[in-house]
Amino acid sequence: MSEPARANILLVDDRHENLVALEAILEPLGENLIFAQSGEEALRQLLHHDVAVILLDVQMPGLDGFETAALIKQRERTKTVPIIFLTAISKDERHVFRGYSAGAVDYLFKPFDAEVLRSKVAVFIDLYRKTEQLREQAELLAARELAAVRRESEERYRQLADAMPQIVWTTDPDGNAAYYNRRWYEYTGLAPATPRGDEWRRVVHPGDLGPTMERRKATLASGEVFEVQYRFRRADGAYRWHLGRAVPILVDGRIESWVGTATDIDDQKRIEQAQDFLLRAGSELHATLDYRAALRAVSRLAVPEIADWCVVDLVDADERPVPLALAHADPAKVAFARELQERYPGGPDVEVAAAVIRKREPVLVTEISDEALEAAAADELHLELMRELRLRSFMCVPVIAGDRVAAAITFAAAESGRRFTEDDLRLAEELARRAAVAIENARLYSEVEERAQAARVLEAVGDGVFLVDAQGRIRLWNAAATTITGLTRGDVLDRPAAEAIPGWASVAERVPISQLAEPVTSESVPLDLGHRELWLSVSGVGFTEGTVYAFRDLTEERALEAMRQDLVATVSHELRTPLAAIYGSALTLRREDIDLEEALRQKLLEIIEEESSRLAEIVNDLLLASQLDTGRLHVQIERCDAEELARGVVDVARTHLPPDVQVELEPPSEPIRPVAADTEQLRQVLDNVLENAVKYSPNGGTVSLRLSPAGTHLRFAVADRGLGIPVAERSRIFEKFYRLDPGMSRGIGGTGLGLYICRELVRRVDGRIWVEPNGDQGSIFYVDIPFATERQPAKRRPEKAPSPA
Ligand code: ADP
């Protein structure tokens, strides 16, 4: 046992020498002496020290001994401290009484007997020590009782903790587990033992270990409440979600321990995950019309939250599964599974999917038994490889879109240790329903798209197309149909065809109707729309909803055909006439039986010459027209003296005039500026118009040519008093091969090419040609040719002698 602490003795006397004397007397006691030279100082000293006994002088300036004692007695902490009064004078009874009533335990009179003083003080010290010891013992006892009580309550807490359905543990301030409750051992299957501190690491899901450790480190450092969601492995290997919470227990402001709980939130968590999965899968499925890509994305979403494996199979025409997607969170496992599928095609997974597709019913296997696995394996190796996958539970649902099974989705649980339940199956079925909607939407969309495309094609084709339903009403009418007939959609839609299209009734009788997939034949028929007649090539195809008619406009082809026939007649006539004349003249010249007069010989030779040149002219026109058609004609635009040209043309015309026709050039009222044209081509135009004017004036008359400016153009006007041209034919006479009188009832020949050539040549120099009536008789042909600009090159070719050939 250690030395008892030294006790304090307070010595109070106003006289220093008295204190020195007291010190000398009490020194041998070996206690701690505290000195004070006044009552006030004594009180001050008592504030700082616990003292065993006080020796107090009675006569002191300021507070005297009695007053000081009274104050000491008033204070709770000091009221029991024994006081020995020291006095030299007051020995009478009254004084002594006052001293005792002030709390004195003794009186000592100066001069003291050192021995007596020492022993008296020693007694009080002893007493003080005993009292102290007793107090300490009492405190110790109290502490022990408290510990017992605490132990008892801890035990009670433990029992409470053991009885709880939650997992409970406690740790030291550093987070090392010191206690786990019974539920912990039941859940984890670990054998109850004194905790080592880090058992929990073995049961937390590897995927959650990282975040848990981090959170734990942070809370241990900050002393905040620890809260985390993690999966704990159950005794059977299944992981279940738990909410872990640990709160620090503080003692004197320091963390003494942590109390933690883990609550099973697996059901809520699964519902949450399932809802989240359905939401995300739904948006994947709706985000695109490529349902294959969507199903692949869904399979990736399913792992690992919903299942460890997700497989999607589409369905072929034979109702067999065709793999589309295989997903697992670990790519290495996917590769392994694929290899397995390749090595053992048509494995148990394919068979399950095939059965689901055939029966249109889902399959749920909560626990894959060893026997089932063995039965499904093709051989020993297969069994071993399948065992490596550690499949425990699976479910497969059909995706029924419209009235056919479009796909099968399989979920399998493996290393997570999950067991699928009816709830999980409902989730899978819900997913299948959403997938079905997506597939159906994609199909509808592509159908609509196809139809829209078909409609666009129908609009774009050049053939008129329309649909007549079973009731004979027009249901569809494309743009070409409008262009060809002039009848708009509004005119015909929803109306009976026979009523909407004038003349249709008689056409419909003649159009052959083929059936779908049969070769289509068409018929050329005239359609009399009332205001005009069309030639159409019409075909019809009948199908369930009615008949589709397609028609092509042959009107122009017909007209061209007619013209071609006219041309053959005209040209052959035109060629035959000069040929006959040449042939006849030649024969006559060769006759030896008659002697021809020189004048007759000359006449015959003249005929041959003239008719040959007419033949050449016809051939030239045909050649030129074909050059214009094919764009091969070269045009050289230059400055050209129009007046000079006009004079030349008139002069040539005058050389072969019928006797009753005159040709005049009206003198211009002002000088004529040069025009921009190809001189030879312009000459040909004027020749032609002038020649026509002469030719179509069978009853004679004057043909005049007049030049006058018309804005930017010079206007040539050729007027005759001939046959004239009906209003309706004024523009048609400029068409190729068009002749007013193809049958030549008026007895005037021609190819119908002249004005066509004129129009094309004039067009090429930005000019214009047209015809107007010449008062009440004859016609005026106008030709406008632009004036030359300053920059126009001057004429380069030397003037050639005008020659029709
Ligand atoms: P062609 O004279 O060889 O028949 P054109 O192309 O020169 O061919 O003329 C076309 C048609 O225009 C002629 O067939 C004729 O009926 C009509 N025509 C041309 N010029 C006149 C005219 N001055 N007066 C009356 N009819 C004319």
Side-chain angles (χ1 to χ4, degrees):
M1 235 186 122
S2 60
E3 279 285 303
R6 295 206 294 176
N8 292 326
I9 304 169
L10 179 59
L11 307 173
V12 190
D13 201 311
D14 58 322
R15 297 168 71 115
H16 182 66
E17 59 272 24
N18 285 351
L19 288 177
V20 173
L22 282 172
E23 187 181 9
I25 296 166
L26 297 174
E27 183 94 83
L29 289 177
E31 305 297 344
N32 192 31
L33 303 176
I34 298 168
F35 303 96
Q37 283 190 288
S38 68
E40 288 87 352
E41 198 186 344
L43 292 173
R44 250 195 322 275
Q45 291 289 14
L46 284 170
L47 289 177
H48 301 299
H49 305 282
D50 278 338
V51 299
V53 59
I54 303 168
L55 275 65
L56 186 57
D57 183 20
V58 175
Q59 280 83 28
M60 284 190 297
L63 285 176
D64 69 13
F66 295 135
E67 287 163 342
T68 306
L71 288 170
I72 289 171
K73 289 293 158 191
Q74 273 173 25
R75 275 205 201 127
E76 190 60 34
R77 238 183 89 208
T78 51
K79 73 178 182 202
T80 56
V81 180
I83 299 170
I84 301 173
F85 283 113
L86 306 172
T87 180
I89 41 165
S90 305
K91 285 184 188 170
D92 61 80
E93 288 293 311
R94 262 192 306 122
H95 251 105
V96 171
F97 176 74
R98 207 182 144 204
Y100 282 116
S101 68
V105 290
D106 212 342
Y107 263 98
L108 287 175
F109 300 98
K110 299 174 188 176
F112 321 114
D113 178 332
E115 203 56 39
V116 173
L117 176 61
R118 202 158 38 232
S119 58
K120 280 200 172 176
V121 168
V123 168
F124 283 114
I125 296 280
D126 211 27
L127 196 65
Y128 170 76
R129 283 233 162 79
K130 289 249 163 62
T131 321
E132 276 299 283
Q133 220 174 342
L134 269 177
R135 194 177 54 77
E136 267 170 25
Q137 270 172 0
E139 260 175 28
L140 207 66
L141 207 67
R144 271 196 205 132
E145 268 170 19
L146 203 67
V149 167
R150 206 182 266 171
R151 256 200 313 283
E152 200 182 313
S153 72
E154 245 170 50
E155 187 52 34
R156 207 174 295 145
Y157 278 128
R158 239 162 233 228
Q159 283 175 2
L160 198 64
D162 276 340
M164 275 169 77
Q166 270 174 315
I167 290 170
V168 179
W169 71 89
T170 64
T171 76
D172 65 10
D174 301 327
N176 300 306
Y179 162 78
Y180 295 108
N181 73 344
R182 189 176 302 152
R183 176 73 192 136
W184 159 267
Y185 292 107
E186 281 169 9
Y187 179 84
T188 60
L190 297 174
T194 310
R196 272 203 353 241
D198 61 351
E199 292 77 4
W200 58 274
R201 280 189 208 212
R202 283 166 33 209
V203 301
V204 170
H205 190 282
D208 303 332
L209 201 53
T212 304
M213 301 281 277
E214 240 164 68
R215 187 84 203 104
R216 183 172 171 275
K217 207 172 130 193
T219 47
L220 280 175
S222 68
E224 288 165 15
V225 172
F226 164 87
E227 199 172 290
V228 79
Q229 296 191 3
Y230 40 30
R231 280 160 291 179
F232 270 4
R233 196 181 56 225
R234 203 163 57 183
D236 63 357
Y239 281 93
R240 290 182 69 80
W241 280 99
H242 282 76
L243 170 67
R245 257 178 78 89
V247 285
I249 303 299
L250 300 177
V251 172
D252 293 338
R254 285 179 48 237
I255 295 177
E256 192 220 20
S257 60
W258 292 80
V259 175
T261 55
T263 313
D264 189 323
I265 52 163
D266 200 67
D267 290 344
Q268 293 104 289
K269 188 84 182 171
R270 298 263 182 231
I271 291 170
E272 243 170 59
Q273 275 179 344
Q275 277 170 349
D276 182 56
F277 168 68
L278 273 184
L279 261 176
R280 293 203 287 160
S283 66
E284 281 290 349
L285 287 167
H286 288 124
T288 168
L289 287 164
D290 181 355
Y291 67 88
R292 286 183 178 82
L295 284 173
R296 268 188 226 111
V298 166
S299 72
R300 285 192 298 273
L301 280 182
V303 296
E305 269 79 9
I306 301 303
D308 296 311
W309 292 92
C310 180
V311 178
V312 181
D313 290 298
L314 294 181
V315 179
D316 69 9
D318 299 331
E319 299 247 293
R320 290 287 300 171
V322 183
L324 174 75
L326 172 70
H328 187 284
D330 179 0
K333 296 218 168 169
V334 173
F336 177 83
R338 285 205 198 288
E339 229 169 84
L340 189 64
Q341 281 179 338
E342 247 167 63
R343 198 185 271 256
Y344 296 97
D349 50 326
V350 178
E351 282 321 308
V352 168
V356 164
I357 292 164
R358 206 172 45 246
K359 295 186 190 150
R360 297 173 165 235
E361 260 168 30
V363 163
L364 166 67
V365 173
T366 304
E367 179 84 53
I368 302 176
S369 66
D370 275 349
E371 300 79 61
L373 210 60
E374 272 165 38
D379 55 36
E380 277 294 308
L381 179 64
H382 192 198
L383 183 63
E384 203 174 304
L385 292 174
M386 281 202 297
R387 280 201 176 124
E388 223 163 287
L389 286 174
R390 292 164 58 202
L391 296 174
R392 297 179 155 246
S393 180
F394 75 85
M395 52 189 181
C396 179
V397 287
V399 176
I400 304 175
D403 55 356
R404 62 178 285 268
V405 182
I409 307 178
T410 309
F411 297 95
E415 58 279 350
S416 69
R418 285 192 62 158
R419 303 282 189 284
F420 293 124
T421 61
E422 289 291 333
D423 283 343
D424 296 312
L425 187 64
R426 272 194 288 280
L427 165 74
E429 285 179 311
E430 178 56 36
L431 175 71
R433 263 191 291 281
R434 293 186 189 199
V437 171
I439 291 173
E440 189 73 342
N441 278 350
R443 196 183 58 75
L444 283 178
Y445 179 83
S446 72
E447 232 170 61
V448 168
E449 186 53 20
E450 250 169 51
R451 269 190 217 163
Q453 210 159 1
R456 283 197 289 272
V457 169
L458 267 189
E459 271 311 286
V461 291
D463 286 4
V465 177
F466 66 101
L467 167 70
V468 176
D469 69 11
Q471 281 69 48
R473 286 176 190 274
I474 298 176
R475 292 290 171 213
L476 184 149
W477 186 260
N478 77 345
T482 297
T483 312
I484 295 170
T485 61
L487 297 169
T488 66
R489 270 198 191 90
D491 295 335
V492 300
L493 276 190
D494 300 328
R495 291 180 58 198
E499 182 191 307
I501 313 168
W504 177 252
S506 58
V507 169
E509 284 168 16
R510 296 177 52 187
V511 175
I513 307 290
S514 347
Q515 291 309 306
L516 273 178
E518 270 179 15
V520 178
T521 48
S522 55
E523 179 75 23
S524 292
V525 286
L527 176 69
D528 190 355
L529 287 169
H531 59 289
R532 69 192 170 109
E533 191 190 53
L534 291 177
W535 271 92
L536 302 179
S537 157
V538 189
S539 57
V541 176
F543 71 118
T544 45
E545 289 168 46
T547 308
V548 175
Y549 290 96
F551 57 89
R552 183 168 296 178
D553 186 3
L554 295 180
T555 313
E556 219 159 278
E557 277 101 324
R558 289 289 292 207
L560 271 178
E561 184 54 36
M563 240 153 73
R564 207 167 291 128
Q565 284 166 9
D566 289 348
L567 166 80
V568 172
T570 312
V571 170
S572 48
H573 177 265
E574 284 301 302
L575 292 176
R576 205 178 298 126
T577 314
L579 272 177
I582 293 168
Y583 184 65
S585 302
L587 274 187
T588 313
L589 280 172
R590 280 193 62 190
R591 276 176 72 160
E592 288 168 6
D593 55 333
I594 48 166
D595 208 5
L596 288 174
E597 278 177 31
E598 186 49 30
L600 186 57
R601 261 178 66 92
Q602 283 309 318
K603 182 72 196 159
L604 289 174
L605 285 172
E606 222 170 81
I607 290 172
I608 291 174
E609 196 186 321
E610 261 174 30
E611 294 304 313
S612 314
S613 105
R614 205 170 137 204
L615 272 180
E617 215 174 298
I618 293 170
V619 172
N620 267 353
D621 277 359
L622 283 168
L623 210 66
L624 191 55
S626 107
Q627 277 177 337
L628 285 167
D629 280 352
T630 53
R632 278 183 293 127
L633 186 79
H634 178 76
V635 181
Q636 188 171 2
I637 298 178
E638 56 202 3
R639 287 162 83 84
C640 155
D641 185 339
E643 208 181 328
E644 189 189 318
L645 191 70
R647 259 199 305 275
V649 172
V650 168
D651 285 347
V652 170
R654 280 180 180 148
T655 57
H656 48 271
L657 284 178
D660 44 359
V661 177
Q662 302 85 41
V663 175
E664 278 174 10
L665 177 65
E666 283 184 21
S669 55
E670 55 185 285
I672 297 300
R673 281 180 284 147
V675 292
D678 182 310
T679 313
E680 284 318 304
Q681 290 173 5
L682 181 54
R683 186 197 310 283
Q684 181 162 1
V685 171
L686 296 176
D687 267 343
N688 208 311
V689 174
L690 214 57
E691 234 168 65
N692 276 351
V694 173
K695 192 161 82 173
Y696 295 104
S697 297
N699 303 321
T702 303
V703 171
S704 68
L705 170 59
R706 182 157 53 94
L707 277 61
S708 61
T712 55
H713 287 65
L714 174 65
R715 178 164 299 164
F716 299 86
V718 178
D720 66 53
R721 287 282 170 193
L723 296 170
I725 298 157
V727 185
E729 309 288 343
R730 272 180 206 153
S731 71
R732 300 207 68 183
I733 54 169
F734 295 97
E735 284 171 16
K736 207 197 293 185
F737 299 128
Y738 194 84
R739 305 200 69 238
L740 276 188
D741 179 23
M744 290 217 303
S745 51
R746 297 196 282 194
I748 304 161
T751 57
L753 279 173
L755 287 180
Y756 167 74
I757 290 169
C758 288
R759 185 189 70 185
E760 291 304 306
L761 291 180
V762 168
R763 231 185 225 174
R764 277 168 174 69
V765 296
D766 284 335
R768 197 160 92 84
I769 180 167
W770 74 101
V771 67
E772 281 175 18
N774 188 9
D776 56 355
Q777 193 178 2
S779 326
I780 307 180
F781 278 81
Y782 294 99
V783 177
D784 275 7
I785 301 292
F787 284 119
T789 60
E790 290 306 312
R791 282 174 302 157
Q792 216 86 53
K795 186 176 162 122
R796 263 184 256 151
R797 284 184 286 181
E799 182 103 10
K800 262 200 281 174
S803 153

